[in-house]
Amino acid sequence: GVIDNALYNNFVGSSGNTGSGYFAVFGSGNLPAGASIWQSIATDVGGSYNLTFAYGPIGPNHQTQTLHVTAGDLDTYVTSAASINDLTTALVTYTFGFTALSATTTITFTDTSAITDSVDGMLDNVSVPEPSGVVLLGSAGVAMAFARRRVRSR
């Protein structure tokens, strides 16, 4: 994942392990909204990337949670379904595309939930795979060089 275990463990709130690695909890212990977690990654200026993460509410009172997500030109809010007490079904996977605006992109998740009493927002499985266009461009470049060599050798 993009956000490493050290950041999860130092996150304001709590963290744990869902079996797929560490997760972060916003609002743990009825903390107010406003907590953030972030990670900076190397990116190519103008490159297109996909940010994928799992997010959902956990708690008995059927409240929603809201997360502000930023990365490059991405600036969006995610509002969860009503909270439940089942870690196996609480998390929903989200994917958003963004364009890198600099050589370093900071991915930030900020809790903006209206209610944090007895409900927590959980964040897990954050990733930004290498852009597929880089692989395709590399393959196309090899194919073009090969075709050019064949034309010259005739």
Side-chain angles (χ1 to χ4, degrees):
V2 169
I3 298 181
D4 62 29
N5 292 348
L7 277 174
Y8 280 122
N9 290 331
N10 292 323
F11 179 68
V12 176
S14 65
S15 64
N17 194 318
T18 59
S20 63
Y22 287 89
F23 61 86
V25 177
F26 295 94
S28 179
N30 298 330
L31 291 172
S36 292
I37 187 169
W38 62 91
Q39 178 76 43
S40 295
I41 61 170
T43 51
D44 293 325
V45 177
S48 296
Y49 297 85
N50 284 319
L51 168 64
T52 301
F53 59 92
Y55 178 70
I58 191 77
N61 60 3
H62 306 289
Q63 298 294 326
T64 61
Q65 295 288 277
T66 305
L67 190 65
H68 183 204
V69 182
T70 61
D73 69 345
L74 173 67
D75 188 344
T76 192
Y77 290 83
V78 172
T79 299
S80 72
S83 62
I84 55 175
N85 269 333
D86 183 358
L87 279 176
T88 62
T89 60
L91 300 179
V92 173
T93 300
Y94 296 90
T95 300
F96 294 100
F98 70 91
T99 300
L101 303 177
S102 67
T104 301
T105 297
T106 301
I107 300 163
T108 305
F109 299 94
T110 303
D111 179 24
T112 57
S113 303
I115 298 172
T116 60
D117 186 22
S118 299
V119 62
D120 302 326
M122 295 180 54
L123 176 66
D124 197 7
N125 298 325
V126 178
S127 67
V128 177
E130 288 294 322
S132 58
V134 171
V135 174
L136 293 175
L137 274 176
S139 299
V142 169
M144 288 172 62
F146 181 72
R148 189 172 187 183
R149 178 180 282 170
R150 285 186 67 196
V151 170
R152 283 188 179 170
S153 63
R154 288 184 183 180

PDB file of all heavy atoms in Angstrom, residues 51-85:
ATOM      1  N   LEU A  51      -6.010   6.210  -7.641  1.00  0.00           N
ATOM      2  CA  LEU A  51      -5.927   6.042  -6.200  1.00  0.00           C
ATOM      3  C   LEU A  51      -7.054   5.104  -5.789  1.00  0.00           C
ATOM      4  O   LEU A  51      -8.219   5.372  -6.075  1.00  0.00           O
ATOM      5  CB  LEU A  51      -6.080   7.395  -5.496  1.00  0.00           C
ATOM      6  CG  LEU A  51      -6.298   7.371  -3.983  1.00  0.00           C
ATOM      7  CD1 LEU A  51      -5.082   6.777  -3.271  1.00  0.00           C
ATOM      8  CD2 LEU A  51      -6.594   8.777  -3.480  1.00  0.00           C
ATOM      9  N   THR A  52      -6.710   3.999  -5.146  1.00  0.00           N
ATOM     10  CA  THR A  52      -7.705   3.036  -4.689  1.00  0.00           C
ATOM     11  C   THR A  52      -7.579   2.882  -3.183  1.00  0.00           C
ATOM     12  O   THR A  52      -6.466   2.829  -2.648  1.00  0.00           O
ATOM     13  CB  THR A  52      -7.500   1.667  -5.380  1.00  0.00           C
ATOM     14  OG1 THR A  52      -7.617   1.855  -6.795  1.00  0.00           O
ATOM     15  CG2 THR A  52      -8.523   0.650  -4.919  1.00  0.00           C
ATOM     16  N   PHE A  53      -8.707   2.813  -2.497  1.00  0.00           N
ATOM     17  CA  PHE A  53      -8.701   2.616  -1.045  1.00  0.00           C
ATOM     18  C   PHE A  53     -10.042   2.032  -0.617  1.00  0.00           C
ATOM     19  O   PHE A  53     -11.030   2.110  -1.341  1.00  0.00           O
ATOM     20  CB  PHE A  53      -8.438   3.930  -0.297  1.00  0.00           C
ATOM     21  CG  PHE A  53      -9.438   5.013  -0.588  1.00  0.00           C
ATOM     22  CD1 PHE A  53     -10.571   5.170   0.208  1.00  0.00           C
ATOM     23  CD2 PHE A  53      -9.258   5.877  -1.653  1.00  0.00           C
ATOM     24  CE1 PHE A  53     -11.495   6.178  -0.060  1.00  0.00           C
ATOM     25  CE2 PHE A  53     -10.170   6.877  -1.936  1.00  0.00           C
ATOM     26  CZ  PHE A  53     -11.292   7.028  -1.139  1.00  0.00           C
ATOM     27  N   ALA A  54     -10.046   1.444   0.564  1.00  0.00           N
ATOM     28  CA  ALA A  54     -11.285   0.933   1.161  1.00  0.00           C
ATOM     29  C   ALA A  54     -11.641   1.841   2.328  1.00  0.00           C
ATOM     30  O   ALA A  54     -10.776   2.228   3.121  1.00  0.00           O
ATOM     31  CB  ALA A  54     -11.092  -0.505   1.629  1.00  0.00           C
ATOM     32  N   TYR A  55     -12.916   2.209   2.427  1.00  0.00           N
ATOM     33  CA  TYR A  55     -13.376   3.113   3.485  1.00  0.00           C
ATOM     34  C   TYR A  55     -14.776   2.720   3.897  1.00  0.00           C
ATOM     35  O   TYR A  55     -15.593   2.319   3.063  1.00  0.00           O
ATOM     36  CB  TYR A  55     -13.380   4.562   2.976  1.00  0.00           C
ATOM     37  CG  TYR A  55     -13.888   5.568   3.987  1.00  0.00           C
ATOM     38  CD1 TYR A  55     -13.136   5.880   5.109  1.00  0.00           C
ATOM     39  CD2 TYR A  55     -15.106   6.196   3.811  1.00  0.00           C
ATOM     40  CE1 TYR A  55     -13.594   6.802   6.035  1.00  0.00           C
ATOM     41  CE2 TYR A  55     -15.570   7.126   4.731  1.00  0.00           C
ATOM     42  CZ  TYR A  55     -14.807   7.425   5.840  1.00  0.00           C
ATOM     43  OH  TYR A  55     -15.264   8.333   6.755  1.00  0.00           O
ATOM     44  N   GLY A  56     -15.051   2.837   5.181  1.00  0.00           N
ATOM     45  CA  GLY A  56     -16.394   2.565   5.667  1.00  0.00           C
ATOM     46  C   GLY A  56     -16.512   2.854   7.149  1.00  0.00           C
ATOM     47  O   GLY A  56     -15.520   3.004   7.860  1.00  0.00           O
ATOM     48  N   PRO A  57     -17.743   2.936   7.630  1.00  0.00           N
ATOM     49  CA  PRO A  57     -17.990   3.246   9.038  1.00  0.00           C
ATOM     50  C   PRO A  57     -18.181   1.972   9.856  1.00  0.00           C
ATOM     51  O   PRO A  57     -18.714   0.977   9.381  1.00  0.00           O
ATOM     52  CB  PRO A  57     -19.292   4.031   8.983  1.00  0.00           C
ATOM     53  CG  PRO A  57     -20.031   3.386   7.844  1.00  0.00           C
ATOM     54  CD  PRO A  57     -18.978   2.966   6.849  1.00  0.00           C
ATOM     55  N   ILE A  58     -17.735   2.041  11.077  1.00  0.00           N
ATOM     56  CA  ILE A  58     -17.967   0.933  12.002  1.00  0.00           C
ATOM     57  C   ILE A  58     -18.577   1.519  13.270  1.00  0.00           C
ATOM     58  O   ILE A  58     -18.112   2.522  13.790  1.00  0.00           O
ATOM     59  CB  ILE A  58     -16.666   0.146  12.302  1.00  0.00           C
ATOM     60  CG1 ILE A  58     -16.948  -1.145  13.040  1.00  0.00           C
ATOM     61  CG2 ILE A  58     -15.638   0.984  12.989  1.00  0.00           C
ATOM     62  CD1 ILE A  58     -17.475  -2.242  12.168  1.00  0.00           C
ATOM     63  N   GLY A  59     -19.682   0.944  13.722  1.00  0.00           N
ATOM     64  CA  GLY A  59     -20.357   1.426  14.921  1.00  0.00           C
ATOM     65  C   GLY A  59     -21.799   0.963  14.942  1.00  0.00           C
ATOM     66  O   GLY A  59     -22.366   0.606  13.908  1.00  0.00           O
ATOM     67  N   PRO A  60     -22.410   0.990  16.113  1.00  0.00           N
ATOM     68  CA  PRO A  60     -23.747   0.433  16.280  1.00  0.00           C
ATOM     69  C   PRO A  60     -24.901   1.368  15.925  1.00  0.00           C
ATOM     70  O   PRO A  60     -26.042   0.929  15.837  1.00  0.00           O
ATOM     71  CB  PRO A  60     -23.792   0.112  17.779  1.00  0.00           C
ATOM     72  CG  PRO A  60     -22.921   1.178  18.387  1.00  0.00           C
ATOM     73  CD  PRO A  60     -21.820   1.407  17.387  1.00  0.00           C
ATOM     74  N   ASN A  61     -24.638   2.666  15.710  1.00  0.00           N
ATOM     75  CA  ASN A  61     -25.762   3.607  15.638  1.00  0.00           C
ATOM     76  C   ASN A  61     -26.187   4.010  14.221  1.00  0.00           C
ATOM     77  O   ASN A  61     -26.899   4.980  14.046  1.00  0.00           O
ATOM     78  CB  ASN A  61     -25.465   4.854  16.480  1.00  0.00           C
ATOM     79  CG  ASN A  61     -24.227   5.586  16.016  1.00  0.00           C
ATOM     80  OD1 ASN A  61     -23.612   5.207  15.029  1.00  0.00           O
ATOM     81  ND2 ASN A  61     -23.867   6.628  16.734  1.00  0.00           N
ATOM     82  N   HIS A  62     -25.749   3.282  13.190  1.00  0.00           N
ATOM     83  CA  HIS A  62     -26.200   3.492  11.806  1.00  0.00           C
ATOM     84  C   HIS A  62     -26.009   4.933  11.318  1.00  0.00           C
ATOM     85  O   HIS A  62     -26.890   5.509  10.697  1.00  0.00           O
ATOM     86  CB  HIS A  62     -27.658   3.054  11.635  1.00  0.00           C
ATOM     87  CG  HIS A  62     -27.883   1.653  12.075  1.00  0.00           C
ATOM     88  ND1 HIS A  62     -27.410   0.576  11.371  1.00  0.00           N
ATOM     89  CD2 HIS A  62     -28.501   1.150  13.161  1.00  0.00           C
ATOM     90  CE1 HIS A  62     -27.748  -0.542  12.000  1.00  0.00           C
ATOM     91  NE2 HIS A  62     -28.402  -0.221  13.088  1.00  0.00           N
ATOM     92  N   GLN A  63     -24.825   5.495  11.576  1.00  0.00           N
ATOM     93  CA  GLN A  63     -24.479   6.843  11.125  1.00  0.00           C
ATOM     94  C   GLN A  63     -23.526   6.764   9.939  1.00  0.00           C
ATOM     95  O   GLN A  63     -22.769   5.811   9.798  1.00  0.00           O
ATOM     96  CB  GLN A  63     -23.811   7.640  12.249  1.00  0.00           C
ATOM     97  CG  GLN A  63     -24.674   7.847  13.461  1.00  0.00           C
ATOM     98  CD  GLN A  63     -25.868   8.722  13.149  1.00  0.00           C
ATOM     99  OE1 GLN A  63     -25.796   9.637  12.347  1.00  0.00           O
ATOM    100  NE2 GLN A  63     -26.985   8.437  13.795  1.00  0.00           N
ATOM    101  N   THR A  64     -23.549   7.782   9.084  1.00  0.00           N
ATOM    102  CA  THR A  64     -22.610   7.842   7.968  1.00  0.00           C
ATOM    103  C   THR A  64     -21.345   8.573   8.410  1.00  0.00           C
ATOM    104  O   THR A  64     -21.338   9.271   9.423  1.00  0.00           O
ATOM    105  CB  THR A  64     -23.224   8.579   6.763  1.00  0.00           C
ATOM    106  OG1 THR A  64     -23.536   9.916   7.151  1.00  0.00           O
ATOM    107  CG2 THR A  64     -24.462   7.860   6.250  1.00  0.00           C
ATOM    108  N   GLN A  65     -20.289   8.411   7.627  1.00  0.00           N
ATOM    109  CA  GLN A  65     -19.029   9.099   7.849  1.00  0.00           C
ATOM    110  C   GLN A  65     -18.597   9.723   6.524  1.00  0.00           C
ATOM    111  O   GLN A  65     -18.926   9.210   5.448  1.00  0.00           O
ATOM    112  CB  GLN A  65     -17.945   8.121   8.324  1.00  0.00           C
ATOM    113  CG  GLN A  65     -18.237   7.501   9.687  1.00  0.00           C
ATOM    114  CD  GLN A  65     -18.073   8.518  10.797  1.00  0.00           C
ATOM    115  OE1 GLN A  65     -16.979   8.763  11.274  1.00  0.00           O
ATOM    116  NE2 GLN A  65     -19.171   9.134  11.207  1.00  0.00           N
ATOM    117  N   THR A  66     -17.849  10.830   6.604  1.00  0.00           N
ATOM    118  CA  THR A  66     -17.425  11.535   5.400  1.00  0.00           C
ATOM    119  C   THR A  66     -15.911  11.728   5.432  1.00  0.00           C
ATOM    120  O   THR A  66     -15.339  12.089   6.462  1.00  0.00           O
ATOM    121  CB  THR A  66     -18.121  12.898   5.279  1.00  0.00           C
ATOM    122  OG1 THR A  66     -19.528  12.692   5.344  1.00  0.00           O
ATOM    123  CG2 THR A  66     -17.786  13.577   3.961  1.00  0.00           C
ATOM    124  N   LEU A  67     -15.283  11.489   4.280  1.00  0.00           N
ATOM    125  CA  LEU A  67     -13.837  11.574   4.148  1.00  0.00           C
ATOM    126  C   LEU A  67     -13.502  12.509   2.990  1.00  0.00           C
ATOM    127  O   LEU A  67     -14.040  12.367   1.895  1.00  0.00           O
ATOM    128  CB  LEU A  67     -13.291  10.166   3.856  1.00  0.00           C
ATOM    129  CG  LEU A  67     -11.795   9.952   3.904  1.00  0.00           C
ATOM    130  CD1 LEU A  67     -11.255  10.160   5.320  1.00  0.00           C
ATOM    131  CD2 LEU A  67     -11.464   8.540   3.426  1.00  0.00           C
ATOM    132  N   HIS A  68     -12.633  13.489   3.248  1.00  0.00           N
ATOM    133  CA  HIS A  68     -12.145  14.396   2.205  1.00  0.00           C
ATOM    134  C   HIS A  68     -10.847  13.797   1.665  1.00  0.00           C
ATOM    135  O   HIS A  68      -9.928  13.507   2.431  1.00  0.00           O
ATOM    136  CB  HIS A  68     -11.900  15.781   2.794  1.00  0.00           C
ATOM    137  CG  HIS A  68     -11.471  16.796   1.793  1.00  0.00           C
ATOM    138  ND1 HIS A  68     -10.755  17.911   2.153  1.00  0.00           N
ATOM    139  CD2 HIS A  68     -11.643  16.899   0.450  1.00  0.00           C
ATOM    140  CE1 HIS A  68     -10.509  18.646   1.090  1.00  0.00           C
ATOM    141  NE2 HIS A  68     -11.033  18.044   0.042  1.00  0.00           N
ATOM    142  N   VAL A  69     -10.772  13.614   0.346  1.00  0.00           N
ATOM    143  CA  VAL A  69      -9.633  12.953  -0.289  1.00  0.00           C
ATOM    144  C   VAL A  69      -9.000  13.913  -1.296  1.00  0.00           C
ATOM    145  O   VAL A  69      -9.693  14.463  -2.159  1.00  0.00           O
ATOM    146  CB  VAL A  69     -10.092  11.669  -1.027  1.00  0.00           C
ATOM    147  CG1 VAL A  69      -8.904  10.954  -1.640  1.00  0.00           C
ATOM    148  CG2 VAL A  69     -10.879  10.758  -0.094  1.00  0.00           C
ATOM    149  N   THR A  70      -7.675  14.122  -1.173  1.00  0.00           N
ATOM    150  CA  THR A  70      -6.957  14.955  -2.138  1.00  0.00           C
ATOM    151  C   THR A  70      -5.686  14.233  -2.602  1.00  0.00           C
ATOM    152  O   THR A  70      -5.044  13.531  -1.830  1.00  0.00           O
ATOM    153  CB  THR A  70      -6.566  16.328  -1.558  1.00  0.00           C
ATOM    154  OG1 THR A  70      -5.709  16.137  -0.435  1.00  0.00           O
ATOM    155  CG2 THR A  70      -7.785  17.122  -1.142  1.00  0.00           C
ATOM    156  N   ALA A  71      -5.370  14.429  -3.891  1.00  0.00           N
ATOM    157  CA  ALA A  71      -4.133  13.905  -4.490  1.00  0.00           C
ATOM    158  C   ALA A  71      -4.011  14.546  -5.870  1.00  0.00           C
ATOM    159  O   ALA A  71      -4.916  14.413  -6.691  1.00  0.00           O
ATOM    160  CB  ALA A  71      -4.179  12.394  -4.619  1.00  0.00           C
ATOM    161  N   GLY A  72      -2.927  15.276  -6.136  1.00  0.00           N
ATOM    162  CA  GLY A  72      -2.786  15.948  -7.422  1.00  0.00           C
ATOM    163  C   GLY A  72      -3.970  16.856  -7.666  1.00  0.00           C
ATOM    164  O   GLY A  72      -4.320  17.685  -6.824  1.00  0.00           O
ATOM    165  N   ASP A  73      -4.658  16.671  -8.821  1.00  0.00           N
ATOM    166  CA  ASP A  73      -5.831  17.501  -9.116  1.00  0.00           C
ATOM    167  C   ASP A  73      -7.129  16.920  -8.541  1.00  0.00           C
ATOM    168  O   ASP A  73      -8.196  17.492  -8.758  1.00  0.00           O
ATOM    169  CB  ASP A  73      -5.960  17.740 -10.621  1.00  0.00           C
ATOM    170  CG  ASP A  73      -6.323  16.476 -11.394  1.00  0.00           C
ATOM    171  OD1 ASP A  73      -6.207  15.361 -10.839  1.00  0.00           O
ATOM    172  OD2 ASP A  73      -6.718  16.602 -12.568  1.00  0.00           O
ATOM    173  N   LEU A  74      -7.050  15.829  -7.801  1.00  0.00           N
ATOM    174  CA  LEU A  74      -8.226  15.213  -7.172  1.00  0.00           C
ATOM    175  C   LEU A  74      -8.559  15.935  -5.867  1.00  0.00           C
ATOM    176  O   LEU A  74      -7.697  16.136  -5.020  1.00  0.00           O
ATOM    177  CB  LEU A  74      -7.962  13.735  -6.883  1.00  0.00           C
ATOM    178  CG  LEU A  74      -9.034  12.982  -6.084  1.00  0.00           C
ATOM    179  CD1 LEU A  74     -10.323  12.870  -6.894  1.00  0.00           C
ATOM    180  CD2 LEU A  74      -8.522  11.606  -5.683  1.00  0.00           C
ATOM    181  N   ASP A  75      -9.799  16.333  -5.720  1.00  0.00           N
ATOM    182  CA  ASP A  75     -10.299  16.974  -4.500  1.00  0.00           C
ATOM    183  C   ASP A  75     -11.760  16.571  -4.388  1.00  0.00           C
ATOM    184  O   ASP A  75     -12.634  17.165  -5.018  1.00  0.00           O
ATOM    185  CB  ASP A  75     -10.147  18.486  -4.602  1.00  0.00           C
ATOM    186  CG  ASP A  75     -10.477  19.204  -3.295  1.00  0.00           C
ATOM    187  OD1 ASP A  75     -11.111  18.593  -2.409  1.00  0.00           O
ATOM    188  OD2 ASP A  75     -10.096  20.384  -3.173  1.00  0.00           O
ATOM    189  N   THR A  76     -12.023  15.520  -3.598  1.00  0.00           N
ATOM    190  CA  THR A  76     -13.379  14.969  -3.550  1.00  0.00           C
ATOM    191  C   THR A  76     -13.738  14.529  -2.136  1.00  0.00           C
ATOM    192  O   THR A  76     -12.873  14.432  -1.264  1.00  0.00           O
ATOM    193  CB  THR A  76     -13.520  13.779  -4.537  1.00  0.00           C
ATOM    194  OG1 THR A  76     -14.891  13.449  -4.683  1.00  0.00           O
ATOM    195  CG2 THR A  76     -12.739  12.558  -4.065  1.00  0.00           C
ATOM    196  N   TYR A  77     -15.025  14.284  -1.933  1.00  0.00           N
ATOM    197  CA  TYR A  77     -15.535  13.799  -0.656  1.00  0.00           C
ATOM    198  C   TYR A  77     -16.217  12.461  -0.877  1.00  0.00           C
ATOM    199  O   TYR A  77     -16.895  12.264  -1.888  1.00  0.00           O
ATOM    200  CB  TYR A  77     -16.550  14.787  -0.066  1.00  0.00           C
ATOM    201  CG  TYR A  77     -15.906  16.068   0.409  1.00  0.00           C
ATOM    202  CD1 TYR A  77     -15.632  17.099  -0.488  1.00  0.00           C
ATOM    203  CD2 TYR A  77     -15.566  16.239   1.741  1.00  0.00           C
ATOM    204  CE1 TYR A  77     -15.037  18.272  -0.061  1.00  0.00           C
ATOM    205  CE2 TYR A  77     -14.963  17.411   2.176  1.00  0.00           C
ATOM    206  CZ  TYR A  77     -14.707  18.423   1.274  1.00  0.00           C
ATOM    207  OH  TYR A  77     -14.113  19.570   1.702  1.00  0.00           O
ATOM    208  N   VAL A  78     -16.040  11.554   0.071  1.00  0.00           N
ATOM    209  CA  VAL A  78     -16.699  10.252   0.056  1.00  0.00           C
ATOM    210  C   VAL A  78     -17.583  10.183   1.290  1.00  0.00           C
ATOM    211  O   VAL A  78     -17.115  10.426   2.400  1.00  0.00           O
ATOM    212  CB  VAL A  78     -15.661   9.103   0.099  1.00  0.00           C
ATOM    213  CG1 VAL A  78     -16.344   7.765   0.288  1.00  0.00           C
ATOM    214  CG2 VAL A  78     -14.800   9.121  -1.142  1.00  0.00           C
ATOM    215  N   THR A  79     -18.863   9.898   1.087  1.00  0.00           N
ATOM    216  CA  THR A  79     -19.780   9.703   2.211  1.00  0.00           C
ATOM    217  C   THR A  79     -20.183   8.234   2.241  1.00  0.00           C
ATOM    218  O   THR A  79     -20.645   7.690   1.234  1.00  0.00           O
ATOM    219  CB  THR A  79     -21.025  10.596   2.089  1.00  0.00           C
ATOM    220  OG1 THR A  79     -20.593  11.965   2.087  1.00  0.00           O
ATOM    221  CG2 THR A  79     -21.971  10.381   3.264  1.00  0.00           C
ATOM    222  N   SER A  80     -19.998   7.614   3.376  1.00  0.00           N
ATOM    223  CA  SER A  80     -20.242   6.182   3.520  1.00  0.00           C
ATOM    224  C   SER A  80     -21.727   5.866   3.650  1.00  0.00           C
ATOM    225  O   SER A  80     -22.553   6.749   3.852  1.00  0.00           O
ATOM    226  CB  SER A  80     -19.533   5.664   4.777  1.00  0.00           C
ATOM    227  OG  SER A  80     -20.221   6.143   5.936  1.00  0.00           O
ATOM    228  N   ALA A  81     -22.007   4.587   3.568  1.00  0.00           N
ATOM    229  CA  ALA A  81     -23.343   4.089   3.922  1.00  0.00           C
ATOM    230  C   ALA A  81     -23.461   4.136   5.446  1.00  0.00           C
ATOM    231  O   ALA A  81     -22.511   4.509   6.144  1.00  0.00           O
ATOM    232  CB  ALA A  81     -23.498   2.661   3.413  1.00  0.00           C
ATOM    233  N   ALA A  82     -24.589   3.751   5.977  1.00  0.00           N
ATOM    234  CA  ALA A  82     -24.800   3.737   7.434  1.00  0.00           C
ATOM    235  C   ALA A  82     -23.871   2.721   8.098  1.00  0.00           C
ATOM    236  O   ALA A  82     -23.583   1.664   7.528  1.00  0.00           O
ATOM    237  CB  ALA A  82     -26.254   3.410   7.752  1.00  0.00           C
ATOM    238  N   SER A  83     -23.397   3.061   9.275  1.00  0.00           N
ATOM    239  CA  SER A  83     -22.438   2.212   9.982  1.00  0.00           C
ATOM    240  C   SER A  83     -23.051   0.887  10.424  1.00  0.00           C
ATOM    241  O   SER A  83     -24.255   0.782  10.677  1.00  0.00           O
ATOM    242  CB  SER A  83     -21.878   2.952  11.196  1.00  0.00           C
ATOM    243  OG  SER A  83     -22.912   3.266  12.108  1.00  0.00           O
ATOM    244  N   ILE A  84     -22.174  -0.103  10.491  1.00  0.00           N
ATOM    245  CA  ILE A  84     -22.547  -1.431  10.978  1.00  0.00           C
ATOM    246  C   ILE A  84     -21.421  -1.924  11.875  1.00  0.00           C
ATOM    247  O   ILE A  84     -20.361  -1.312  11.952  1.00  0.00           O
ATOM    248  CB  ILE A  84     -22.777  -2.421   9.813  1.00  0.00           C
ATOM    249  CG1 ILE A  84     -21.533  -2.473   8.912  1.00  0.00           C
ATOM    250  CG2 ILE A  84     -24.002  -2.034   9.007  1.00  0.00           C
ATOM    251  CD1 ILE A  84     -21.624  -3.497   7.807  1.00  0.00           C
ATOM    252  N   ASN A  85     -21.620  -3.018  12.550  1.00  0.00           N
ATOM    253  CA  ASN A  85     -20.601  -3.572  13.443  1.00  0.00           C
ATOM    254  C   ASN A  85     -19.934  -4.801  12.860  1.00  0.00           C
ATOM    255  O   ASN A  85     -19.606  -5.732  13.571  1.00  0.00           O
ATOM    256  CB  ASN A  85     -21.219  -3.929  14.801  1.00  0.00           C
ATOM    257  CG  ASN A  85     -21.137  -2.789  15.780  1.00  0.00           C
ATOM    258  OD1 ASN A  85     -20.246  -1.953  15.678  1.00  0.00           O
ATOM    259  ND2 ASN A  85     -22.062  -2.741  16.714  1.00  0.00           N
TER     260      ASN A  85
END
